[in-house]
Amino acid sequence: MDLSPKTSTDISFEDFRTQILEDYKLAFSSRVCSLLGRKEVLTGKAKFGIFGDGKELPQLAMARSFRNGDFRSGYYRDQTFMMALGLLSPKEFFHGLYATADMTKEPMSAGRQMGGHFLTYSLNDDGSWKNLTEQKNSSSDISCTAGQMPRLLGLAQASKVYRNLKTLDATKFSDNGNEVAWGTIGNASTSEGLFFETINAGGVLQVPMVISIWDDGYGISVPAKYHTTKEDISKLLSGFQREEELQGYEIFKVKGWDYTALMHTYENAADIAREQHVPVIIHVTELTQPQGHSTSGSHERYKSTERLQWEKEYDCNARFRTWIVESGIATENELNLIEREIRISVRTAKKDAWSEFLAPHKVKKTELIRILGELAAQSVNKNIISKLKNDLIAIEEPVKKDLAVISRKALRYVIGEESEERTMLIDWVNQFLSSEQPKYSDHLYSEKENKATNIEAVLPTYGTASEKVDGRIILRDNFDKLFEKYPKALIFGEDTGTIGDVNQGLEGLQKKYGKIRVSDTGIREATIIGQGIGMALRGLRPIAEIQYLDYIFYAMAPLTDDLATMRYRTSGKQKAPVIVRTRGHRLEGIWHSGSQMGGLIHLLRGMYILAPRNMTQAAGFYNTLMKSDEPALIIESLNGYRRKERKPLNLGEFCTPIGVVETLRTGSDITLVSYGSTVRIVLRVAKELAEVGIEAEVIDAQTLLPFDINHDTVKSVQKTNRLLVIDEDVPGGCSAYLIHEIVERQKGYQYLDSPPQTLTSKAHRPAYGTDGDYFSKPNAEDIFDRVYAILHEARPSDFPKLR
């Protein structure tokens, strides 16, 4: 289908008629998919359904103005848009509904996300970039309302970067920044803070994005008057309207059932954003939602009789059909024939998708029935196993869970039996689980050769006259080398640009590299991360700075919902190698102590979490990550910027390995594990312990996700037979995670002569001031006393009771 913008003034009537009818076919086909999709959920074939019915016409208009190189960051009802671009077929739509775990059949997530979540492939099979300028692009959707907005900002900002940095090699990523980022959102979701933060930031940055607000008057069952001041989002946003002397947005308002007005509005919006590089908002009103919010509820329960009647009359597809007939473009009979053929086609697609979904399960079912029959014939529990076999036979349309449950239950009834048939069942179960589990678990991190954990360590080198400098100088000069080495690297955040960050780790770099590459932002953590995600999706190498770790929770939604899940939910088809830079640990006060690591570890699986003890280690992590293509959070030590460190000769080159611990002191009596600023205290205490005859081995965890992939910690425990983890986090936080890793995953339990212990901060957040820090977090005396108590319990004659 030709999607170039044409109007009735520059094409023949026959071409115009063909274009209109193609649009009607798409709109009608999408609607039939929605209607049949709901039925599939209600019959139990699918778990949940959320569809794009009622939004077909504006999505057709948006598709007609969408160009190669453009990006979508959208709402989970944009199925008509994807179909109009030829990126989603009805059969693929139903595979998404059934959660088929096969990317060749369900190309949007291989069943990892519910239907309605769309993407395009940015990567080749080897992990290299496709040419994004030669295809229409969609970043992977997420369910979280307004969660797509921060990412949209970064997608649009990438066009500004590529347009303004003329020396940048934009091959595969941009044509002089002419690309538009298209966002879509439901009217109720504009109540979210992420929406307003993005709107404000987009107006400040003046980036080419077009935001469509699909307004059907409701948010789930709640009418607009409870969501939006004045019940009208474009009225509410009118203060953002650009003026002659003041930058802002161009704002359009258009009815969602008016086909010609929609086409002209989207053409105008696209031209303004693409040519003038300014943001645009399109408020699409008078839309309907014929089936309600989702399959979890019927809209008859919360809409009045009058509203329901209005929705029938103003259904965009129905109005489009009437207009086509009244305009003489097609007759009722012609449209009836088109609709009949589409219904048949979509039903066939649904049937084929379900058959394809079931086919591999049925093959496995046949195999398992045969094995269970042979097993029953020789087992003392013949009757029970035969019943399991018959239960399986009775399941006409099995899913993988059915096969796993029955096969694993059968194994329980042949415990202790020795037979070839039992071995066959064990082999079948093992093979089935090993082949199926990765379909739901892989691609959490990169599986390519250049993954960060494969980057080999490169030690810092020093000369005989290497000077000792403040730690910030090492960071600053290392960043200088990285910006020189990687032209696509850029950094941004609060106070990052003009003053070179609050701790002067970027001093003078904006002056050297310009305001595009080293830039200040407003106080808006969520969209700082969104800038990083969007720009990384378009081939740039952003470093997004959150000023203090304590404030990262403002940015937690885009971090945990979007960035951390990006590679996983796309089954490795998209990547966003954002480096998040922040600082924390060992400062005073509830919101400047920065040690909430337990929460971050569990919320950010899919990212690396790195906690270097000094600035040399931190610089090495930046160098390692720039050689790879994965997202990470680096937490610099707040009290380390003015500490003296020897300045390496090979700045920008040395690499701190990811997933590798470092043994800083050897010992034979106990293994002490810590990270970040606390390591310095532990090392000092280790010297004091040696004075009373206790030799402690000190290990710096360095990277918390992943932790110790070489299992070096358990080798230490095997030698010392005792373990203490010292942590600034609250009880049960990061220390509990580290104990789990060492004792359970590394099987360190078998070498312990004393119970493994943790020493953490108090359950509260740290109080302010020197005394507050001392009585809130593990201090040197706490560490000494705890280690001494462990050795006293083990060897009381050697270490009499301390107090």
Side-chain angles (χ1 to χ4, degrees):
M1 176 182 177
D2 180 10
L3 290 173
S4 58
K6 296 175 182 176
T7 67
S8 55
T9 60
D10 57 29
I11 60 174
S12 67
F13 175 78
E14 190 56 38
D15 286 342
F16 177 66
R17 178 179 183 275
T18 298
Q19 178 178 294
I20 299 300
L21 291 181
E22 285 299 316
D23 279 352
Y24 184 72
K25 290 175 185 177
L26 279 164
F28 190 80
S29 178
S30 180
R31 179 66 62 86
V32 174
C33 284
S34 295
L35 296 174
L36 290 180
R38 181 179 177 85
K39 291 180 179 179
E40 291 300 273
V41 176
L42 297 179
T43 59
K45 288 183 177 178
K47 300 290 285 186
F48 182 77
I50 193 159
F51 307 109
D53 47 309
K55 280 77 179 172
E56 290 89 351
L57 287 199
Q59 291 179 26
L60 290 171
M62 177 174 147
R64 198 169 298 284
S65 293
F66 201 86
R67 298 283 171 268
N68 282 349
D70 285 1
F71 256 91
R72 166 188 168 276
S73 183
Y75 180 41
Y76 44 66
R77 298 190 189 275
D78 290 348
Q79 70 195 46
T80 306
F81 171 79
M82 296 298 286
M83 289 176 173
L85 295 184
L87 299 173
L88 179 71
S89 70
K91 186 161 77 168
E92 291 167 342
F93 169 88
F94 286 105
H95 272 298
L97 200 62
Y98 304 141
T100 303
D102 182 343
M103 210 70 175
T104 64
K105 293 181 173 63
E106 201 284 271
M108 297 300 151
S109 75
R112 295 184 177 191
Q113 298 211 84
M114 65 180 67
H117 295 69
F118 307 115
L119 83 156
T120 53
Y121 297 177
S122 299
L123 306 177
N124 297 307
D125 289 341
D126 63 358
S128 62
W129 289 100
K130 290 178 174 290
N131 190 329
L132 303 185
T133 67
E134 294 178 350
Q135 64 181 42
K136 295 175 174 66
N137 304 285
S138 174
S139 57
S140 174
D141 294 346
I142 57 178
S143 293
C144 318
T145 57
Q148 70 274 29
M149 290 291 104
R151 179 201 325 140
L152 173 68
L153 180 68
L155 289 168
Q157 188 182 4
S159 291
K160 183 172 183 176
V161 171
Y162 284 121
R163 177 168 288 190
N164 285 278
L165 294 182
K166 301 294 186 182
T167 59
L168 199 62
D169 180 8
T171 306
K172 296 186 177 182
F173 301 109
S174 181
D175 176 16
N176 194 37
N178 289 322
E179 302 77 25
V180 171
W182 299 78
T184 64
I185 189 169
N187 58 297
S189 296
T190 63
S191 303
E192 296 277 11
L194 293 179
F195 173 79
F196 280 99
E197 187 173 319
T198 301
I199 291 293
N200 183 58
V204 170
L205 290 172
Q206 287 293 287
V207 290
M209 62 186 189
V210 177
I211 299 175
S212 296
I213 302 170
W214 310 141
D215 190 348
D216 56 33
Y218 286 81
I220 310 180
S221 64
V222 181
K225 66 180 179 179
Y226 296 110
H227 291 286
T228 309
T229 302
K230 300 181 181 179
E231 299 184 48
D232 190 314
I233 189 62
S234 54
K235 282 184 181 178
L236 183 60
L237 297 176
S238 60
F240 286 92
Q241 175 69 51
R242 63 178 180 158
E243 303 170 27
E244 188 172 337
E245 299 296 327
L246 296 172
Q247 294 180 331
Y249 282 77
E250 194 62 53
I251 301 176
F252 295 97
K253 193 171 187 177
V254 61
K255 291 179 173 58
W257 47 263
D258 190 335
Y259 177 80
T260 54
L262 285 164
M263 290 295 172
H264 288 302
T265 298
Y266 274 87
E267 286 179 13
N268 289 340
D271 289 344
I272 290 168
R274 204 178 303 280
E275 295 169 11
Q276 300 178 39
H277 255 220
V278 297
V280 181
I281 294 169
I282 304 176
H283 182 195
V284 184
T285 65
E286 296 191 16
L287 287 169
T288 66
Q289 201 152 275
Q291 299 186 106
H293 171 262
S294 68
T295 52
S296 63
S298 170
H299 65 156
E300 286 83 3
R301 294 164 55 196
Y302 55 85
K303 291 178 182 174
S304 67
T305 302
E306 293 76 17
R307 173 69 190 192
L308 291 169
Q309 182 58 38
W310 180 89
E311 290 201 3
K312 286 183 180 178
E313 294 176 10
Y314 282 85
D315 180 294
C316 65
N317 280 14
R319 300 280 290 198
F320 190 26
R321 191 184 199 281
T322 300
W323 177 78
I324 289 172
V325 173
E326 291 179 350
S327 301
I329 294 169
T331 65
E332 286 275 358
N333 288 338
E334 287 174 315
L335 293 183
N336 288 339
L337 181 61
I338 287 171
E339 290 165 1
R340 178 177 177 276
E341 291 174 347
I342 287 173
R343 285 193 186 96
I344 293 171
S345 174
V346 173
R347 286 195 184 101
T348 300
K350 174 181 71 73
K351 181 181 177 181
D352 290 347
W354 183 244
S355 295
E356 290 176 3
F357 171 75
L358 287 176
H361 309 168
K362 289 185 172 181
V363 171
K364 292 293 183 182
K365 172 185 172 180
T366 300
E367 292 176 2
L368 185 55
I369 288 171
R370 176 183 58 80
I371 292 171
L372 291 176
E374 294 175 3
L375 181 65
Q378 57 75 48
S379 175
V380 296
N381 288 313
K382 176 180 179 179
N383 292 340
I384 299 175
I385 296 170
S386 293
K387 182 182 182 304
L388 289 172
K389 182 190 76 170
N390 291 333
D391 289 344
L392 180 57
I393 291 171
I395 302 173
E396 294 183 5
E397 297 179 328
V399 295
K400 294 171 187 175
K401 178 185 175 183
D402 298 323
L403 302 170
V405 168
I406 288 176
S407 62
R408 297 173 78 177
K409 279 188 175 181
L411 281 175
R412 301 174 190 174
Y413 297 102
V414 290
I415 293 174
E417 295 183 14
E418 294 295 335
S419 69
E420 184 178 331
E421 291 78 10
R422 176 175 177 268
T423 300
M424 286 174 58
L425 180 57
I426 291 172
D427 290 343
W428 190 93
V429 170
N430 289 340
Q431 190 279 330
F432 182 72
L433 295 177
S434 64
S435 65
E436 296 303 325
Q437 180 63 60
K439 296 176 183 177
Y440 305 92
S441 303
D442 62 5
H443 295 294
L444 182 60
Y445 293 91
S446 174
E447 297 175 7
K448 306 303 179 185
E449 284 301 312
N450 72 326
K451 63 183 180 180
T453 50
N454 278 357
I455 305 299
E456 293 186 2
V458 177
L459 295 175
T461 58
Y462 301 95
T464 53
S466 289
E467 59 179 329
K468 278 196 168 186
V469 297
D470 289 349
R472 73 170 188 90
I473 299 297
I474 293 173
L475 271 180
R476 182 198 66 186
D477 293 354
N478 194 77
F479 278 129
D480 188 9
K481 294 292 184 181
L482 288 181
F483 291 141
E484 192 177 277
K485 185 176 181 179
Y486 298 100
K488 290 182 179 178
L490 61 164
I491 190 167
F492 45 91
E494 300 158 16
D495 295 319
T496 297
T498 302
I499 69 169
D501 88 39
V502 289
N503 297 104
Q504 299 290 280
L506 297 165
E507 180 189 22
L509 296 187
Q510 185 184 80
K511 185 175 182 181
K512 182 173 182 178
Y513 293 101
K515 293 183 179 181
I516 296 292
R517 295 188 66 190
V518 183
S519 56
D520 288 309
T521 70
I523 299 177
R524 47 175 182 78
E525 285 79 5
T527 45
I528 289 173
I529 298 301
Q531 287 176 253
I533 296 170
M535 287 194 282
L537 280 167
R538 293 191 58 191
L540 296 169
R541 295 305 310 268
I543 302 172
E545 182 173 318
I546 303 298
Q547 193 165 88
Y548 294 107
L549 182 64
D550 302 83
Y551 301 144
I552 203 167
F553 294 100
Y554 282 102
M556 192 49 63
L559 281 170
T560 185
D561 297 330
D562 200 354
L563 182 57
T565 66
M566 178 75 69
R567 197 181 290 264
Y568 169 76
R569 74 179 189 269
T570 67
S571 200
K573 300 301 182 183
Q574 290 186 352
K575 63 182 178 182
V578 183
I579 301 173
V580 181
R581 180 195 183 206
T582 189
R583 47 192 68 82
H585 305 307
R586 302 316 296 198
L587 205 65
E588 292 84 12
I590 297 173
W591 292 288
H592 290 84
S593 52
S595 299
Q596 313 90 318
M597 304 308 300
L600 296 174
I601 286 164
H602 299 302
L603 289 168
L604 300 182
R605 303 286 175 134
M607 294 179 64
Y608 296 121
I609 297 184
L610 314 175
R613 66 184 181 273
N614 59 38
M615 300 310 161
T616 302
Q617 298 298 103
F621 279 136
Y622 289 111
N623 298 340
T624 299
L625 289 166
M626 290 301 291
K627 288 185 176 182
S628 183
D629 61 357
E630 295 181 83
L633 169 65
I634 298 181
I635 303 152
E636 298 165 10
S637 296
L638 257 171
N639 60 4
Y641 294 105
R642 300 292 176 179
R643 289 182 178 272
K644 300 297 183 182
E645 300 179 36
R646 292 179 70 199
K647 185 176 180 181
L649 297 175
N650 54 340
L651 290 168
E653 301 297 332
F654 63 89
C655 294
T656 309
I658 291 176
V660 179
V661 301
E662 184 174 356
T663 301
L664 302 178
R665 187 182 192 280
T666 60
S668 56
D669 294 318
I670 190 169
T671 298
L672 305 180
V673 178
S674 192
Y675 60 90
S677 296
T678 309
V679 170
R680 289 193 291 271
I681 302 174
V682 174
L683 281 171
R684 188 170 75 246
V685 172
K687 293 179 181 179
E688 295 171 357
L689 287 166
E691 294 172 1
V692 297
I694 299 173
E695 293 297 332
E697 185 143 299
V698 178
I699 292 178
D700 181 4
Q702 296 192 114
T703 74
L704 303 177
L705 278 181
F707 170 73
D708 193 7
I709 59 177
N710 297 328
H711 290 194
D712 290 325
T713 309
V714 77
K715 297 170 189 172
S716 173
V717 173
Q718 187 174 4
K719 177 175 61 173
T720 66
N721 309 122
R722 292 173 187 86
L723 172 65
L724 174 64
V725 175
I726 302 102
D727 181 24
E728 294 183 31
D729 201 358
V730 294
C734 187
S735 58
Y737 160 76
L738 292 171
I739 287 287
H740 165 77
E741 290 285 314
I742 299 162
V743 174
E744 185 174 337
R745 292 194 63 191
Q746 296 188 12
K747 302 189 182 340
Y749 65 88
Q750 59 190 316
Y751 305 115
L752 289 170
D753 292 339
S754 300
Q757 295 192 34
T758 63
L759 178 59
T760 69
S761 72
K762 299 300 185 284
H764 60 72
R765 299 280 282 277
Y768 175 65
T770 300
D771 290 340
D773 176 73
Y774 184 86
F775 288 105
S776 295
K777 289 186 175 184
N779 55 59
E781 288 68 40
D782 289 337
I783 299 168
F784 184 98
D785 289 359
R786 179 66 66 85
V787 174
Y788 190 89
I790 293 171
L791 269 295
H792 164 70
E793 182 183 39
R795 290 149 48 189
S797 60
D798 293 336
F799 303 102
K801 190 173 182 179
L802 181 62
R803 63 182 173 92

